[in-house]
Amino acid sequence: MIFVTVGTQLPFDRLMKAVESWAIRNKRDDVFAQIGPDRAYRPRHIKWANFISAPECRRRIEEADLIVSHAGMGTIISALELGKPLIVMPRSHELHEHRNNHQFATVAHLGARATVRVATNAEALAKDLDEMANWGASKPIAPSASPQLLSAIRFFVNSGADLATDPVLATE
Amino acid sequence: MMQFKQLFRRRTEPRRQRVLAVASGGGHWVQLQRLMAAMDGHDITFVTTLESYREEVPDSARFYCVRDASRWNKFGLLRMAIQLSVIVLREQPDIVISTGAAAGYFCLRLTKLLGGRTIWVDSLANADCMSLSGQRIGRHADLWLTQWPHLARPEGPFYQGAVL
């Protein structure tokens, strides 16, 4: 099962059409897509819903072998937490897919991860789909933030100190 | 005698705090959940913009859902501010923590006015610059954090690691 999701705010027709034509070429009938608002392109060859609830989204990630999505942090983190390979396509400002190009910045700074691929066009997406469609699950990441971040917050909550007045923490 | 012992214990253990944890639906919420291990043992109330998260929240925590609004919708923002004011006044949090966006900004400002302490952890999605709410919250956040080292400044926001 391949799960495609574009988040709740905006449609992402370029991604949807690329996945649909790959599914047709490869005769895959086990693709499900969450396509976004009403004006979104409605694929005819893959099953879809405009929106699904957050718990259902998580269940579908859990059940899928591969996730394809826009470069939203919610899906990226959920896929990593559930140990699922992921292909992200950042939304382009020039193609009116988002208000700005921040999804490109997000993926550029997230850096290399073995189970996450970044595809910026339909050809790259098809190539990654060919390669990753049979990968299966990988090792999930830990369910919590970095120990450094957790201890900074814990220290603040329990002690009442804050960074502005604590030179040791501030320069760490 | 019993009371005396309890007094003594209170001094050595951190006091149980009333924590308001606020995030819009989607990436903000997913990141907030990864911070909640730091709040173990405290009294937690969640505030978000999607009702369906209610089933993800542990039984020990309270849960509120408000109607979402962005800065493009002034009426929606006002309605959300009123809903959030009621929640903050009812919960009287000692601490409020948020990963964004507008709902978190309001709750930090309101809690600060009432004398609580405030934590802002800006979203990982903002790799080029802090989010608008994150920039504006500035000195109203007692702990003002970015998750990107290159966005940290000596006067804040500070970098102390990331949710990933």
Side-chain angles (χ1 to χ4, degrees), chain A residues 5-7 12 15 68-72 75-76 87-91 103:
Chain A
T5 175
V6 302
F12 196 178
L15 171 70
V68 181
S69 86
H70 73 142
T75 316
I76 294 175
I87 305 170
V88 296
M89 183 182 264
R91 292 176 182 273
Q103 290 202 342

Side-chain angles (χ1 to χ4, degrees), chain B residues 34 41 44 67 84 96-97 118 144 154:
Chain B
R34 294 180 63 78
I44 313 289
R67 280 277 288 275
L84 292 170
V96 58
I97 181 168
T118 55
W144 187 30

